[in-house]
Amino acid sequence: MTAESATEKSLLVIGLGMIGGSVLRSARAHGSAEVILGYDSRDDVNLLAYEQGVVDNRPAALQELIAQASMIVLAVPPMTFPAVFTELASIGVADGTVLTDVASVKGPVLDACRQFAPELLSVFLPAHPIAGSEQSGLMASKVDLFKQKKLILTPHADVSNAAAHRVANFWGSLDCLLAELEPDLHDDLLASTSHLPHVLAYVLVDSLLLHPETDRLFEFAAGGFQDISRTASSDPTMWHDVFFSNKECVLAAVEQFEKRLALFKSMVENGESQRLFDMLSTAKKGRDNYLAKYRS
Amino acid sequence: MTAESATEKSLLVIGLGMIGGSVLRSARAHGSAEVILGYDSRDDVNLLAYEQGVVDNRPAALQELIAQASMIVLAVPPMTFPAVFTELASIGVADGTVLTDVASVKGPVLDACRQFAPELLSVFLPAHPIAGSEQSGLMASKVDLFKQKKLILTPHADVSNAAAHRVANFWGSLDCLLAELEPDLHDDLLASTSHLPHVLAYVLVDSLLLHPETDRLFEFAAGGFQDISRTASSDPTMWHDVFFSNKECVLAAVEQFEKRLALFKSMVENGESQRLFDMLSTAKKGRDNYLAKYRS
């Protein structure tokens, strides 16, 4: 999919965290919308967004902002979608307004739309920018967060071509590299490459905090620990929601990991030297290939 | 422990991998020894080290090099120590020569010395530089690898003060930050902060390679995956040896992790929202504190 430059009349981002804020900053920098609006459930965040020049609007009621928006981006934690769709359905969205989102899960977000705002399905094309960091909050947002980063669109049977086209153009205007996946496949793949790694990082730190010598443990931790634990500094609300929303895929990925960890243990316990060496070598090759193919 | 600048008559590093090569480059840069010698079990590596100016000597027999060395650094994989100590005991080490090493495990290395070269215990002070990377081999060695990085010395009852002093001075001359730990405590702590994270990285990649959609999996992997899997690109021989050498502590750390992972799973399965949020929040706080305290 290629993108054309696009100018929306008015962009509204709901949820002014790190990702939502970055959408706004990037949209302003790229001229992706004439008017740049934002809304957060926290008043202090709405004020900050206005004072920092991230949005054009002073803090306002969601209803007022929705009435002006031609493009709405939902940037709230996954489990907030039912409430947001309920509110959007109740307020009503103007003809010609289209919707997208940034959540790390796609099936559950579509389900929420289908259940709480079915009339919006035809104008909603879900999206997941593969960009982020362990930081959170508006002040961590960046103008170039999405620059040349993959963005996965998950088209579905109910979205109109016109709406899909406009949403894709909008994301393309932020200099994202657009890709497409079927929503359930997205959730399956990301459970393994993103959600499982977050589980491991959180549980690793959790596990180390229970060590009787926690202080000395962290004192002598090396660079490898800093990297592998990085995502444990991510927003707990966000990841709590991802784990519950994508429960089935996350549990399947964790269980597959547990099986292989048990195999690793049995190899070490039983002194299976060659098998262990082969397991480590194959993993190294797999990781080196990934790096060479997708990160060069 | 503070370090004085020290000049050894002659340094010999046995094992010319990434760490061994970095010891040599750093020692030359800091004038830590008048003569810089190296030995590897592979002839091509010995030649490369000479041609690259990493060592002063052309490829030579280990016996010849040992006869000239006042400071010997053992930079071989953990399970090679019994063979190396056997060889050192058989060749014999000159009066006044002292020994240190760079292995990620300390108890097993001391045990190997006690068993295969007990006469060297009094001149052997084990060391573990907390510096490294997923890269391996002589060409990955760096002159500043140890600069302002922690180096853990593990003094033991049998080492003489004079030998311990010289070894500490040598490492201090490479601009390391010297610290001390009892050998068994070192192996316990590092099993949690270094060996376990390596297990998780290897098993994560191993696990993903078995996914039916492996190719698309890696295609859509994000930066978080790149970081958390980084150490899976480490040398399989090294880590095979670390896992077996430090078997008891590694298995204990893995088992503690497994317990907490099982708890995570049960929270997700049973919809224990608040407990899961608390677990993630505590881990985030723990990781943020570690960063603020030891990585600022």
Side-chain angles (χ1 to χ4, degrees):
Chain A
M1 195 181 281
T2 57
E4 305 153 20
S5 86
T7 302
E8 285 290 332
K9 192 175 118 308
S10 173
L11 165 69
L12 168 62
V13 173
I14 300 179
L16 306 182
M18 197 264 289
I19 301 282
S22 299
V23 171
L24 290 161
R25 291 184 196 271
S26 178
R28 189 184 293 287
H30 288 97
S32 308
E34 289 164 27
V35 183
I36 307 273
L37 306 172
Y39 177 83
D40 195 89
S41 58
R42 281 174 50 180
D43 284 343
D44 58 330
V45 175
N46 285 316
L47 192 60
L48 185 67
Y50 177 69
E51 288 172 350
Q52 296 278 322
V54 177
V55 298
D56 296 331
N57 62 298
R58 289 179 177 280
L62 183 56
Q63 188 157 7
E64 276 177 47
L65 298 171
I66 286 178
Q68 303 170 52
S70 67
M71 165 77 57
I72 301 178
V73 178
L74 307 177
V76 298
M79 289 174 83
T80 305
F81 278 83
V84 169
F85 279 122
T86 302
E87 205 158 0
L88 287 176
S90 138
I91 293 171
V93 161
D95 279 354
T97 297
V98 297
L99 254 77
T100 185
D101 77 314
V102 299
S104 302
V105 291
K106 301 276 61 111
V109 164
L110 266 173
D111 290 346
C113 184
R114 197 166 280 124
Q115 187 176 351
F116 299 100
E119 65 279 20
L120 296 181
L121 267 179
S122 66
V123 295
F124 178 40
L125 179 61
H128 178 199
I130 306 298
S133 85
E134 74 281 15
Q135 300 187 308
S136 50
L138 181 64
M139 294 310 284
S141 62
K142 287 186 197 165
V143 67
D144 60 353
L145 187 70
F146 308 111
K147 190 180 170 184
Q148 292 292 301
K149 294 283 162 65
K150 277 206 185 70
L151 179 128
I152 304 172
L153 298 166
T154 59
H156 55 96
D158 299 312
V159 67
S160 77
N161 285 339
H165 193 71
R166 267 178 56 204
V167 169
N169 276 352
F170 171 74
W171 286 115
S173 77
L174 305 190
D175 202 9
C176 294
L177 305 172
L178 303 184
E180 281 187 17
L181 281 176
E182 192 270 323
D184 289 345
L185 179 60
H186 169 278
D187 293 351
D188 174 20
L189 297 182
L190 275 285
S192 289
T193 57
S194 169
H195 310 173
L196 173 61
H198 278 80
V199 174
L200 300 182
Y202 277 120
V203 175
L204 172 64
V205 177
D206 164 86
S207 180
L208 264 54
L209 288 171
L210 297 173
H211 192 285
E213 295 264 11
T214 297
D215 266 359
R216 302 181 92 179
L217 211 63
F218 288 117
E219 184 181 348
F220 292 105
F225 175 74
Q226 187 177 350
D227 282 356
I228 205 167
S229 66
R230 182 173 67 78
T231 51
S233 285
S234 304
D235 180 22
T237 300
M238 234 283 274
W239 286 95
H240 162 281
D241 281 16
V242 171
F243 299 147
F244 276 123
S245 303
N246 201 23
K247 177 172 164 170
E248 209 177 303
C249 293
V250 169
L251 289 177
V254 169
E255 273 155 27
Q256 170 68 2
F257 179 86
E258 283 182 324
K259 275 186 208 155
R260 301 302 292 183
L261 186 60
L263 182 65
F264 167 88
K265 250 177 58 187
S266 78
M267 288 176 188
V268 172
E269 272 163 358
N270 303 326
E272 296 178 76
S273 174
Q274 186 61 47
R275 277 187 80 196
L276 181 64
F277 180 78
D278 290 345
M279 187 192 208
L280 303 180
S281 300
T282 303
K284 175 186 166 50
K285 248 177 252 149
R287 204 270 175 181
D288 289 349
N289 287 345
Y290 147 75
L291 214 63
K293 194 160 174 189
Y294 298 115
R295 293 275 153 178
S296 53
Chain B
M1 194 180 282
T2 56
E4 304 152 22
S5 86
T7 301
E8 285 290 332
K9 190 175 119 308
S10 172
L11 166 69
L12 168 62
V13 173
I14 300 178
L16 305 182
M18 196 263 290
I19 302 282
S22 298
V23 171
L24 288 162
R25 291 184 197 272
S26 177
R28 189 184 294 286
H30 289 96
S32 307
E34 290 164 26
V35 183
I36 306 273
L37 306 172
Y39 177 84
D40 196 89
S41 58
R42 281 173 51 179
D43 285 342
D44 58 330
V45 175
N46 285 315
L47 192 60
L48 185 68
Y50 176 68
E51 286 172 352
Q52 297 277 322
V54 177
V55 298
D56 296 330
N57 62 296
R58 290 180 175 279
L62 183 56
Q63 187 158 7
E64 275 176 47
L65 298 170
I66 287 178
Q68 303 169 51
S70 67
M71 166 77 57
I72 300 176
V73 178
L74 307 177
V76 298
M79 289 174 83
T80 305
F81 278 82
V84 168
F85 278 123
T86 302
E87 204 159 0
L88 287 175
S90 137
I91 292 171
V93 161
D95 279 355
T97 298
V98 297
L99 255 77
T100 184
D101 78 312
V102 298
S104 302
V105 293
K106 302 276 58 114
V109 164
L110 266 174
D111 290 346
C113 184
R114 198 166 280 120
Q115 188 176 348
F116 298 100
E119 66 278 19
L120 296 181
L121 266 179
S122 66
V123 296
F124 178 41
L125 179 60
H128 178 199
I130 306 299
S133 87
E134 74 281 16
Q135 300 187 306
S136 51
L138 181 64
M139 295 309 286
S141 63
K142 288 185 196 166
V143 66
D144 60 351
L145 187 71
F146 308 112
K147 190 180 171 183
Q148 293 292 301
K149 294 285 163 61
K150 278 207 185 68
L151 178 127
I152 304 173
L153 298 166
T154 58
H156 55 96
D158 298 312
V159 67
S160 77
N161 286 339
H165 193 71
R166 269 181 52 207
V167 169
N169 275 353
F170 171 74
W171 286 115
S173 77
L174 305 191
D175 203 10
C176 295
L177 306 171
L178 303 183
E180 281 187 17
L181 282 175
E182 193 269 323
D184 289 346
L185 180 59
H186 168 280
D187 293 350
D188 174 19
L189 296 181
L190 274 286
S192 289
T193 57
S194 169
H195 309 173
L196 174 61
H198 277 80
V199 174
L200 300 182
Y202 277 120
V203 175
L204 172 64
V205 177
D206 165 86
S207 181
L208 266 53
L209 288 171
L210 297 173
H211 192 286
E213 295 265 12
T214 298
D215 267 358
R216 300 181 94 177
L217 210 63
F218 288 117
E219 184 181 348
F220 293 104
F225 175 74
Q226 187 176 351
D227 283 356
I228 204 168
S229 66
R230 183 173 67 78
T231 51
S233 286
S234 304
D235 180 23
T237 300
M238 235 282 275
W239 286 96
H240 163 281
D241 282 16
V242 171
F243 298 147
F244 275 122
S245 304
N246 201 23
K247 175 172 165 170
E248 209 176 304
C249 293
V250 168
L251 289 176
V254 169
E255 273 154 27
Q256 170 67 3
F257 179 87
E258 283 181 324
K259 275 186 209 154
R260 301 303 291 183
L261 186 59
L263 183 65
F264 167 88
K265 249 177 59 185
S266 78
M267 290 176 185
V268 173
E269 271 163 359
N270 303 327
E272 295 177 78
S273 173
Q274 187 61 48
R275 277 188 79 198
L276 181 65
F277 180 78
D278 292 345
M279 188 193 206
L280 303 181
S281 300
T282 304
K284 174 184 166 55
K285 249 177 251 148
R287 205 268 176 180
D288 290 350
N289 287 345
Y290 146 75
L291 215 62
K293 195 160 173 189
Y294 297 114
R295 294 274 153 178
S296 52

